[in-house]
């Protein structure tokens, strides 16, 4: 059967992190609208490789995308180190 996605790990170059995070958030919201994947199993965490952003503003924007968008409240953000 199909597997589920429990964790997403972002390891792109730092200049792409914000765009990738926005795509992830949009995809999660579009799957079911409630932050759950198609099998009803919630994605638990998003890990972003360091540096999270190239500046304070970009890092804050990434954190906001992962914590303040509808459907993302229960997904934990981890900056990887």
């Amino acid at each position: 059967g199909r597997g589920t996605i429990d964790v997403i790990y972002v390891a792109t170059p730092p200049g792409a992190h914000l765009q990738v995070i926005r795509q992830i958030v949009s995809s999660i919201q579009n799957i079911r609208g409630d932050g759950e994947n198609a099998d009803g199993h919630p994605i638990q965490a998003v890990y972003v490789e360091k540096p999270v952003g190239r500046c304070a503003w970009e890092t804050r924007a990434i954190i906001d995308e992962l914590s303040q968008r509808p459907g993302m409240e229960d997904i934990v953000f981890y900056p990887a180190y």
Side-chain angles (χ1 to χ4, degrees):
R2 283 185 7 186
T4 59
I5 297 173
D6 298 321
V7 176
I8 297 172
Y9 181 72
V10 178
T12 58
H17 286 180
L18 181 56
Q19 178 183 352
V20 169
I21 291 297
R22 286 180 172 156
Q23 290 172 344
I24 290 168
V25 169
S26 179
S27 294
I28 290 170
Q29 291 176 320
N30 288 335
I31 290 171
R32 298 239 348 241
D34 59 5
E36 292 187 345
N37 64 25
D39 294 327
H41 188 279
I43 294 171
Q44 298 172 7
V46 175
Y47 288 82
V48 180
E49 190 55 69
K50 66 179 182 177
V52 173
R54 295 174 292 178
C55 62
W57 175 88
E58 195 171 79
T59 301
R60 182 79 248 168
I62 289 169
I63 293 167
D64 290 347
E65 287 288 325
L66 292 170
S67 64
Q68 296 182 7
R69 294 273 295 265
M72 300 299 292
E73 299 86 5
D74 296 332
I75 298 175
V76 180
F77 162 62
Y78 292 102
Y81 359 9

